[in-house]
Amino acid sequence: MITLNNARVCVTGGARGIGRATVAELVGRGATVWIGDRDLAAAQETAEALGAHAHYLDVTDEASFNDYLRAASEQGPIDMLVNNAGIQLMGHFVDQDLAALQRELAINLGATLTGSHLVLPSMIKRGRGHIVNVASMASKVTTPGIATYCASKYGVVALSRAIRAELAGTGVTLSTIMPAATRTALTSGVRLRLQPTLDPETVAAAIVDSAEHGRGEVTVPRYLAPMGLLEEVMPSKMMWRLKRFISGGDYGSYDPSERQAYLERTRSS
C-alpha cells in the first residue's frame, strides 16, 4: 500500500477510456502520473489536459517498456504501475484472424507480465510499491464471442494471484481489478442488453483506491464477486441458455458501423 500524494505512477494505455479516467483520479489525489500509450498524440493531449506526462509506449515491446519506465523514474522511483492497456476483438473464435488473436493476448496478458517483471525488482528492493493489473469480469464469467479476451483476462487474474503470494512480506502489494462492461470505445457497438455497465470513472476510482487498501482482488461493482462461483456450479446447458438470453442474440455480435473506428485504431496501434 502507498500514499498517493506525491507518488510517481505509471498508467499504460492512459490516453483514453479507463486509463484516462485513472490518470485524472490519480492527479486529483496528488500523484505525478506518466501516461504510456502507442498513440503518442492522444497521450500528449490527455497529459496536457490533466496535468500529467506522456511517453510513447508499445506494451508488446520490452525495450519500449523499459524506455517508458526509465523516463518515468528519472526524478525518482516508480511507486505504482497500472497495467491497463488492453484491446477486445469480437466474433466467433474460428472466424477471427489468428495473428490478431495472438496480438490480443500479447497486449492484454503479455504486457501485464512484462510491466510487472520490470518494475518489481526496484519495488522489492525498496520494500515499497503497488501494482494494479486491470482484468475484467470476463475472467470470472466466460463470454462466447470474446474467447481470447476472456483467456487473456483469466490469465491476468491467475498471474496476479501467483505473484501476490510471492510478494508476501516484501512490502509490495498487487491488486487485480475486475470491472463489468465499461462504457468506453472498447465496448462500442457491442450489445449489452442485460449486463451491468459502468462509467470509466467508477472503475478508475476502484483502481486508485487499491493503492491505499491493498486488497488482492476487486470486482466492480462488488456485488458481482460471486459470479465466478455461479459459472462453476451451474449446469453447462443452463449457463449457455442464460448467456444467450443476456446477449440477446448471436454470440459476439456487434454493430460494425459503430465499432469501425475502434477496430481501425486497434489495428494501427
Side-chain angles (χ1 to χ4, degrees):
M1 295 178 285
I2 63 170
T3 300
L4 288 168
N5 191 40
N6 295 320
R8 185 169 294 270
V9 184
C10 293
V11 181
T12 70
R16 299 181 177 85
I18 291 173
R20 180 186 174 111
T22 301
V23 173
E25 185 74 17
L26 285 164
V27 171
R29 300 198 199 185
T32 299
V33 183
W34 280 80
I35 298 168
D37 206 290
R38 193 162 179 177
D39 188 340
L40 183 56
Q44 289 172 330
E45 181 181 343
T46 296
E48 184 176 348
L50 300 179
H53 304 274
H55 196 279
Y56 174 81
L57 171 62
D58 177 355
V59 294
T60 67
D61 184 283
E62 181 184 345
S64 178
F65 222 134
N66 261 317
D67 287 344
Y68 164 61
L69 295 174
R70 191 178 300 115
S73 60
E74 281 183 356
Q75 302 301 318
I78 295 167
D79 298 297
M80 178 175 173
L81 169 66
V82 181
N83 284 310
N84 165 74
I87 63 172
Q88 179 180 288
L89 305 180
M90 299 194 67
H92 287 261
F93 177 74
V94 296
D95 296 333
Q96 296 185 66
D97 178 71
L98 181 57
L101 296 180
Q102 290 170 335
R103 181 169 177 269
E104 185 177 15
L105 273 177
I107 293 172
N108 295 359
L109 176 56
T112 298
L113 183 152
T114 299
S116 300
H117 193 270
L118 292 177
V119 300
L120 275 173
S122 175
M123 289 182 175
I124 292 171
K125 185 177 181 179
R126 295 184 351 256
R128 181 176 182 276
H130 183 60
I131 294 175
V132 181
N133 291 334
V134 180
S136 167
M137 281 303 299
S139 66
K140 282 182 168 285
V141 182
T142 54
T143 305
I146 54 170
T148 302
Y149 183 81
C150 291
S152 67
K153 295 303 186 179
Y154 189 94
V156 168
V157 173
L159 176 71
S160 301
R161 286 179 180 175
I163 296 173
R164 190 179 302 114
E166 294 180 16
L167 292 175
T170 65
V172 180
T173 51
L174 189 157
S175 295
T176 312
I177 308 299
M178 293 171 279
T182 306
R183 292 182 283 274
T184 67
L186 184 142
T187 59
S188 57
V190 179
R191 183 183 288 110
L192 298 170
R193 213 172 54 129
L194 298 177
Q195 298 181 46
T197 57
L198 305 167
D199 290 323
E201 291 77 14
T202 301
V203 183
I207 290 170
V208 178
D209 285 347
S210 73
E212 298 179 338
H213 63 62
R215 287 197 296 273
E217 295 183 357
V218 179
T219 60
V220 189
R222 293 187 69 180
Y223 69 78
L224 290 179
M227 289 302 294
L229 179 61
L230 181 64
E231 175 148 331
E232 293 295 327
V233 301
M234 183 177 286
S236 296
K237 289 185 178 180
M238 188 180 300
M239 178 59 73
W240 293 341
R241 293 190 186 100
L242 177 61
K243 289 179 180 179
R244 186 170 290 280
F245 174 73
I246 292 173
S247 69
D250 189 28
Y251 293 137
S253 61
Y254 59 90
D255 186 325
S257 62
E258 291 184 16
R259 199 160 175 78
Q260 183 177 358
Y262 171 76
L263 292 175
E264 288 178 352
R265 191 173 73 246
T266 58
R267 290 190 201 103
S268 61
S269 62

